[in-house]
Amino acid sequence: KKILKNMPTSQDGFFKSANIIMGLTVIALPFVLVYYKRKLRRRFRRNFQHEIISTKEAPAAVGAYSQATKIGPAVYCSGQIGLNPKTGTLVEGGVEEETRQALTNLKAVLNEAGSNLKQVLKCTVLLEDINDFQKVNAIYASFFGEENPPARACFAVKALPKGAKVEIEAIAYQKPSSKEKEEKEE
């Protein structure tokens, strides 16, 4: 009982100021939250705008799709086949030449998106004949290197567009530019 008698009451100065601060916090908190929610939404929209990537250095899309799309730092590349971008026809020379051309086309799309083959995270390789795997793999390794290659899946399919023997798609990222790094630090 003695301890309870010595406890400060709400009429003491400390508790009055604490009550005032709590009251102001309760009143101001919704306004602060709305401000930061709007600020974060603007930053998200600025950093994560959906962008269509297109280049003349790679063949135009054969259907209703884009060569690549980008949102934030992520780049999603559509499958590339061994089409010559100037003529629109498959290159001659079999699966090896088609693979080289498909990877060259993929590289051009990545460059247009501000990325490159070193920033590829995952590839999907589609083959008309799984027996071509070793040939395709050798050329694939010459483009990506063997030190830090991206993750990869490889499938045999019944047929590919325009009679191609190989199709390669990729997911990559784009490193932020120095301007974007400065904005992020602010």
Side-chain angles (χ1 to χ4, degrees), residues 23-60:
L24 290 174
T25 303
V26 169
I27 292 169
L29 188 61
F31 296 106
V32 171
L33 291 175
V34 167
Y35 169 77
Y36 280 107
K37 183 179 176 183
R38 287 180 182 160
K39 189 174 182 178
L40 286 172
R41 189 179 297 146
R42 275 185 250 127
R43 182 178 289 166
F44 181 83
R45 283 185 187 145
R46 184 177 68 228
N47 292 337
F48 291 93
Q49 290 182 347
H50 181 250
E51 185 181 342
I52 302 297
I53 306 299
S54 180
T55 179
K56 292 182 180 187
E57 299 297 316

Short mmCIF file of all heavy atoms in Angstrom, two decimals, residues 23-60:
data_model
loop_
_atom_site.label_atom_id
_atom_site.label_comp_id
_atom_site.label_asym_id
_atom_site.label_seq_id
_atom_site.Cartn_x
_atom_site.Cartn_y
_atom_site.Cartn_z
N GLY A 23 -1.28 11.82 -27.23
CA GLY A 23 -2.43 12.36 -27.96
C GLY A 23 -2.02 12.94 -29.30
O GLY A 23 -2.67 12.69 -30.33
N LEU A 24 -0.92 13.68 -29.32
CA LEU A 24 -0.43 14.24 -30.58
C LEU A 24 0.00 13.14 -31.54
O LEU A 24 -0.21 13.23 -32.75
CB LEU A 24 0.72 15.21 -30.32
CG LEU A 24 0.36 16.52 -29.64
CD1 LEU A 24 1.61 17.31 -29.32
CD2 LEU A 24 -0.58 17.33 -30.51
N THR A 25 0.62 12.10 -31.01
CA THR A 25 1.06 10.98 -31.85
C THR A 25 -0.14 10.30 -32.50
O THR A 25 -0.13 10.00 -33.68
CB THR A 25 1.86 9.97 -31.01
OG1 THR A 25 2.96 10.63 -30.42
CG2 THR A 25 2.35 8.82 -31.87
N VAL A 26 -1.16 10.07 -31.73
CA VAL A 26 -2.36 9.42 -32.27
C VAL A 26 -2.99 10.29 -33.35
O VAL A 26 -3.46 9.79 -34.37
CB VAL A 26 -3.36 9.11 -31.13
CG1 VAL A 26 -4.71 8.69 -31.68
CG2 VAL A 26 -2.79 8.05 -30.21
N ILE A 27 -2.99 11.60 -33.17
CA ILE A 27 -3.58 12.51 -34.16
C ILE A 27 -2.68 12.60 -35.40
O ILE A 27 -3.17 12.56 -36.53
CB ILE A 27 -3.79 13.92 -33.54
CG1 ILE A 27 -4.89 13.85 -32.48
CG2 ILE A 27 -4.16 14.93 -34.63
CD1 ILE A 27 -5.00 15.10 -31.64
N ALA A 28 -1.37 12.70 -35.21
CA ALA A 28 -0.45 12.92 -36.33
C ALA A 28 -0.10 11.65 -37.09
O ALA A 28 0.24 11.70 -38.27
CB ALA A 28 0.83 13.58 -35.83
N LEU A 29 -0.16 10.49 -36.43
CA LEU A 29 0.28 9.24 -37.05
C LEU A 29 -0.39 8.95 -38.39
O LEU A 29 0.30 8.62 -39.36
CB LEU A 29 0.10 8.08 -36.08
CG LEU A 29 0.68 6.75 -36.53
CD1 LEU A 29 2.19 6.86 -36.72
CD2 LEU A 29 0.37 5.66 -35.52
N PRO A 30 -1.70 9.07 -38.53
CA PRO A 30 -2.30 8.80 -39.85
C PRO A 30 -1.76 9.70 -40.95
O PRO A 30 -1.55 9.25 -42.08
CB PRO A 30 -3.79 9.05 -39.63
CG PRO A 30 -4.00 8.91 -38.16
CD PRO A 30 -2.71 9.33 -37.52
N PHE A 31 -1.49 10.97 -40.64
CA PHE A 31 -0.97 11.89 -41.65
C PHE A 31 0.46 11.51 -42.05
O PHE A 31 0.83 11.56 -43.22
CB PHE A 31 -1.01 13.34 -41.14
CG PHE A 31 -2.40 13.84 -40.90
CD1 PHE A 31 -2.88 13.98 -39.61
CD2 PHE A 31 -3.23 14.14 -41.97
CE1 PHE A 31 -4.18 14.43 -39.39
CE2 PHE A 31 -4.52 14.57 -41.76
CZ PHE A 31 -5.00 14.72 -40.46
N VAL A 32 1.26 11.11 -41.09
CA VAL A 32 2.63 10.68 -41.36
C VAL A 32 2.61 9.40 -42.22
O VAL A 32 3.36 9.28 -43.19
CB VAL A 32 3.41 10.44 -40.04
CG1 VAL A 32 4.75 9.77 -40.30
CG2 VAL A 32 3.59 11.75 -39.30
N LEU A 33 1.73 8.46 -41.87
CA LEU A 33 1.64 7.22 -42.64
C LEU A 33 1.20 7.48 -44.08
O LEU A 33 1.74 6.88 -45.01
CB LEU A 33 0.68 6.25 -41.95
CG LEU A 33 1.16 5.66 -40.63
CD1 LEU A 33 0.08 4.81 -40.01
CD2 LEU A 33 2.43 4.87 -40.81
N VAL A 34 0.25 8.36 -44.28
CA VAL A 34 -0.20 8.69 -45.63
C VAL A 34 0.93 9.32 -46.43
O VAL A 34 1.16 8.98 -47.59
CB VAL A 34 -1.44 9.63 -45.59
CG1 VAL A 34 -1.72 10.24 -46.96
CG2 VAL A 34 -2.65 8.87 -45.09
N TYR A 35 1.69 10.22 -45.79
CA TYR A 35 2.82 10.87 -46.47
C TYR A 35 3.83 9.82 -46.94
O TYR A 35 4.25 9.82 -48.09
CB TYR A 35 3.49 11.88 -45.53
CG TYR A 35 4.80 12.40 -46.05
CD1 TYR A 35 4.83 13.36 -47.04
CD2 TYR A 35 6.01 11.91 -45.57
CE1 TYR A 35 6.04 13.85 -47.54
CE2 TYR A 35 7.22 12.37 -46.05
CZ TYR A 35 7.23 13.34 -47.03
OH TYR A 35 8.41 13.80 -47.53
N TYR A 36 4.25 8.93 -46.05
CA TYR A 36 5.25 7.94 -46.42
C TYR A 36 4.70 6.90 -47.40
O TYR A 36 5.42 6.41 -48.25
CB TYR A 36 5.84 7.26 -45.17
CG TYR A 36 6.89 8.13 -44.54
CD1 TYR A 36 6.65 8.81 -43.36
CD2 TYR A 36 8.12 8.31 -45.16
CE1 TYR A 36 7.61 9.63 -42.79
CE2 TYR A 36 9.09 9.14 -44.61
CZ TYR A 36 8.82 9.79 -43.43
OH TYR A 36 9.78 10.61 -42.88
N LYS A 37 3.43 6.59 -47.29
CA LYS A 37 2.82 5.66 -48.25
C LYS A 37 2.87 6.25 -49.66
O LYS A 37 3.24 5.58 -50.62
CB LYS A 37 1.38 5.37 -47.85
CG LYS A 37 0.68 4.37 -48.74
CD LYS A 37 -0.74 4.12 -48.25
CE LYS A 37 -1.47 3.20 -49.17
NZ LYS A 37 -2.86 3.00 -48.75
N ARG A 38 2.54 7.52 -49.79
CA ARG A 38 2.60 8.19 -51.10
C ARG A 38 4.03 8.27 -51.62
O ARG A 38 4.30 8.04 -52.79
CB ARG A 38 2.00 9.59 -51.02
CG ARG A 38 0.51 9.58 -50.90
CD ARG A 38 -0.05 10.97 -50.83
NE ARG A 38 -1.49 10.92 -50.67
CZ ARG A 38 -2.22 11.91 -50.20
NH1 ARG A 38 -1.63 13.04 -49.85
NH2 ARG A 38 -3.52 11.79 -50.08
N LYS A 39 4.96 8.58 -50.72
CA LYS A 39 6.37 8.69 -51.11
C LYS A 39 6.88 7.33 -51.60
O LYS A 39 7.55 7.25 -52.63
CB LYS A 39 7.18 9.17 -49.91
CG LYS A 39 8.60 9.52 -50.25
CD LYS A 39 9.29 10.13 -49.04
CE LYS A 39 10.70 10.52 -49.41
NZ LYS A 39 11.40 11.16 -48.32
N LEU A 40 6.56 6.27 -50.88
CA LEU A 40 6.98 4.93 -51.29
C LEU A 40 6.32 4.52 -52.60
O LEU A 40 6.94 3.89 -53.45
CB LEU A 40 6.65 3.90 -50.20
CG LEU A 40 7.55 3.95 -48.97
CD1 LEU A 40 7.01 3.02 -47.89
CD2 LEU A 40 8.97 3.56 -49.33
N ARG A 41 5.06 4.86 -52.78
CA ARG A 41 4.35 4.51 -54.02
C ARG A 41 5.00 5.19 -55.21
O ARG A 41 5.21 4.59 -56.25
CB ARG A 41 2.88 4.92 -53.92
CG ARG A 41 2.05 4.39 -55.07
CD ARG A 41 0.59 4.77 -54.98
NE ARG A 41 -0.02 4.19 -53.80
CZ ARG A 41 -0.97 4.80 -53.09
NH1 ARG A 41 -1.42 5.99 -53.43
NH2 ARG A 41 -1.48 4.22 -52.03
N ARG A 42 5.37 6.49 -55.06
CA ARG A 42 6.04 7.20 -56.15
C ARG A 42 7.39 6.57 -56.47
O ARG A 42 7.75 6.40 -57.62
CB ARG A 42 6.23 8.68 -55.79
CG ARG A 42 5.01 9.52 -56.12
CD ARG A 42 5.27 10.99 -55.86
NE ARG A 42 4.46 11.32 -54.69
CZ ARG A 42 4.91 11.90 -53.59
NH1 ARG A 42 6.15 12.28 -53.49
NH2 ARG A 42 4.11 12.13 -52.58
N ARG A 43 8.14 6.24 -55.43
CA ARG A 43 9.45 5.62 -55.64
C ARG A 43 9.29 4.26 -56.31
O ARG A 43 10.03 3.92 -57.22
CB ARG A 43 10.17 5.45 -54.30
CG ARG A 43 11.55 4.86 -54.47
CD ARG A 43 12.28 4.74 -53.18
NE ARG A 43 12.66 6.07 -52.73
CZ ARG A 43 13.09 6.33 -51.50
NH1 ARG A 43 13.18 5.37 -50.62
NH2 ARG A 43 13.43 7.55 -51.16
N PHE A 44 8.29 3.48 -55.90
CA PHE A 44 8.05 2.17 -56.51
C PHE A 44 7.69 2.33 -57.99
O PHE A 44 8.22 1.64 -58.83
CB PHE A 44 6.93 1.44 -55.77
CG PHE A 44 6.63 0.08 -56.34
CD1 PHE A 44 7.40 -1.01 -55.97
CD2 PHE A 44 5.60 -0.11 -57.25
CE1 PHE A 44 7.15 -2.26 -56.49
CE2 PHE A 44 5.35 -1.36 -57.76
CZ PHE A 44 6.12 -2.44 -57.39
N ARG A 45 6.80 3.28 -58.29
CA ARG A 45 6.40 3.49 -59.69
C ARG A 45 7.58 3.93 -60.54
O ARG A 45 7.72 3.51 -61.68
CB ARG A 45 5.29 4.53 -59.76
CG ARG A 45 3.96 4.00 -59.36
CD ARG A 45 2.89 5.05 -59.57
NE ARG A 45 1.64 4.59 -59.03
CZ ARG A 45 0.75 5.37 -58.45
NH1 ARG A 45 0.98 6.66 -58.34
NH2 ARG A 45 -0.37 4.88 -57.98
N ARG A 46 8.44 4.79 -59.98
CA ARG A 46 9.59 5.27 -60.73
C ARG A 46 10.58 4.13 -60.99
O ARG A 46 11.13 4.01 -62.06
CB ARG A 46 10.27 6.41 -59.97
CG ARG A 46 11.42 7.04 -60.73
CD ARG A 46 12.04 8.21 -59.99
NE ARG A 46 12.70 7.75 -58.80
CZ ARG A 46 12.55 8.29 -57.59
NH1 ARG A 46 11.76 9.31 -57.42
NH2 ARG A 46 13.18 7.80 -56.56
N ASN A 47 10.81 3.30 -60.00
CA ASN A 47 11.80 2.23 -60.12
C ASN A 47 11.28 0.97 -60.80
O ASN A 47 12.05 0.15 -61.25
CB ASN A 47 12.37 1.87 -58.75
CG ASN A 47 13.20 2.97 -58.17
OD1 ASN A 47 13.72 3.80 -58.90
ND2 ASN A 47 13.32 3.02 -56.87
N PHE A 48 9.96 0.78 -60.83
CA PHE A 48 9.41 -0.46 -61.35
C PHE A 48 8.37 -0.21 -62.43
O PHE A 48 7.27 -0.73 -62.38
CB PHE A 48 8.82 -1.29 -60.20
CG PHE A 48 9.86 -1.83 -59.29
CD1 PHE A 48 10.24 -1.14 -58.16
CD2 PHE A 48 10.51 -3.01 -59.58
CE1 PHE A 48 11.23 -1.62 -57.34
CE2 PHE A 48 11.50 -3.51 -58.77
CZ PHE A 48 11.86 -2.81 -57.63
N GLN A 49 8.75 0.57 -63.41
CA GLN A 49 7.87 0.79 -64.55
C GLN A 49 8.10 -0.31 -65.58
O GLN A 49 9.24 -0.68 -65.86
CB GLN A 49 8.12 2.16 -65.18
CG GLN A 49 7.66 3.29 -64.30
CD GLN A 49 7.88 4.63 -64.95
OE1 GLN A 49 8.59 4.75 -65.94
NE2 GLN A 49 7.28 5.66 -64.39
N HIS A 50 7.02 -0.80 -66.14
CA HIS A 50 7.09 -1.84 -67.16
C HIS A 50 7.54 -1.21 -68.48
O HIS A 50 6.99 -0.22 -68.90
CB HIS A 50 5.71 -2.48 -67.31
CG HIS A 50 5.67 -3.57 -68.31
ND1 HIS A 50 5.03 -3.45 -69.50
CD2 HIS A 50 6.21 -4.81 -68.30
CE1 HIS A 50 5.17 -4.57 -70.19
NE2 HIS A 50 5.88 -5.42 -69.48
N GLU A 51 8.56 -1.79 -69.08
CA GLU A 51 9.11 -1.24 -70.31
C GLU A 51 9.24 -2.35 -71.35
O GLU A 51 9.68 -3.45 -71.04
CB GLU A 51 10.49 -0.64 -70.01
CG GLU A 51 11.14 0.07 -71.15
CD GLU A 51 12.51 0.62 -70.76
OE1 GLU A 51 12.82 0.74 -69.57
OE2 GLU A 51 13.29 0.90 -71.69
N ILE A 52 8.85 -2.05 -72.59
CA ILE A 52 9.01 -2.99 -73.70
C ILE A 52 10.37 -2.73 -74.34
O ILE A 52 10.70 -1.60 -74.66
CB ILE A 52 7.88 -2.80 -74.75
CG1 ILE A 52 6.50 -2.97 -74.10
CG2 ILE A 52 8.08 -3.73 -75.93
CD1 ILE A 52 6.23 -4.33 -73.54
N ILE A 53 11.12 -3.79 -74.56
CA ILE A 53 12.46 -3.69 -75.15
C ILE A 53 12.38 -4.18 -76.60
O ILE A 53 11.84 -5.25 -76.87
CB ILE A 53 13.49 -4.54 -74.38
CG1 ILE A 53 13.48 -4.18 -72.90
CG2 ILE A 53 14.86 -4.43 -75.00
CD1 ILE A 53 13.85 -2.75 -72.59
N SER A 54 12.93 -3.40 -77.51
CA SER A 54 12.93 -3.77 -78.92
C SER A 54 14.20 -3.22 -79.58
O SER A 54 14.60 -2.10 -79.31
CB SER A 54 11.70 -3.19 -79.61
OG SER A 54 11.68 -3.54 -80.96
N THR A 55 14.81 -4.04 -80.42
CA THR A 55 16.00 -3.61 -81.15
C THR A 55 15.97 -4.17 -82.56
O THR A 55 15.44 -5.26 -82.80
CB THR A 55 17.29 -4.07 -80.43
OG1 THR A 55 18.41 -3.65 -81.20
CG2 THR A 55 17.34 -5.56 -80.23
N LYS A 56 16.55 -3.44 -83.48
CA LYS A 56 16.66 -3.91 -84.87
C LYS A 56 17.86 -4.83 -85.05
O LYS A 56 18.03 -5.42 -86.10
CB LYS A 56 16.75 -2.72 -85.81
CG LYS A 56 15.45 -1.94 -85.85
CD LYS A 56 15.49 -0.79 -86.82
CE LYS A 56 14.14 -0.11 -86.75
NZ LYS A 56 13.94 0.90 -87.71
N GLU A 57 18.69 -4.95 -84.00
CA GLU A 57 19.86 -5.83 -84.04
C GLU A 57 19.47 -7.29 -83.85
O GLU A 57 20.31 -8.18 -83.97
CB GLU A 57 20.87 -5.42 -82.97
CG GLU A 57 21.40 -4.01 -83.13
CD GLU A 57 22.18 -3.83 -84.42
OE1 GLU A 57 23.00 -4.69 -84.76
OE2 GLU A 57 21.95 -2.80 -85.11
N ALA A 58 18.21 -7.53 -83.52
CA ALA A 58 17.68 -8.89 -83.37
C ALA A 58 16.41 -8.99 -84.21
O ALA A 58 15.79 -7.96 -84.52
CB ALA A 58 17.37 -9.19 -81.91
N PRO A 59 16.01 -10.20 -84.59
CA PRO A 59 14.81 -10.33 -85.43
C PRO A 59 13.56 -9.80 -84.73
O PRO A 59 13.43 -9.92 -83.51
CB PRO A 59 14.68 -11.83 -85.66
CG PRO A 59 15.85 -12.48 -85.05
CD PRO A 59 16.62 -11.47 -84.27
N ALA A 60 12.67 -9.22 -85.50
CA ALA A 60 11.40 -8.75 -84.96
C ALA A 60 10.60 -9.95 -84.46
O ALA A 60 10.80 -11.08 -84.91
CB ALA A 60 10.62 -8.01 -86.05
#
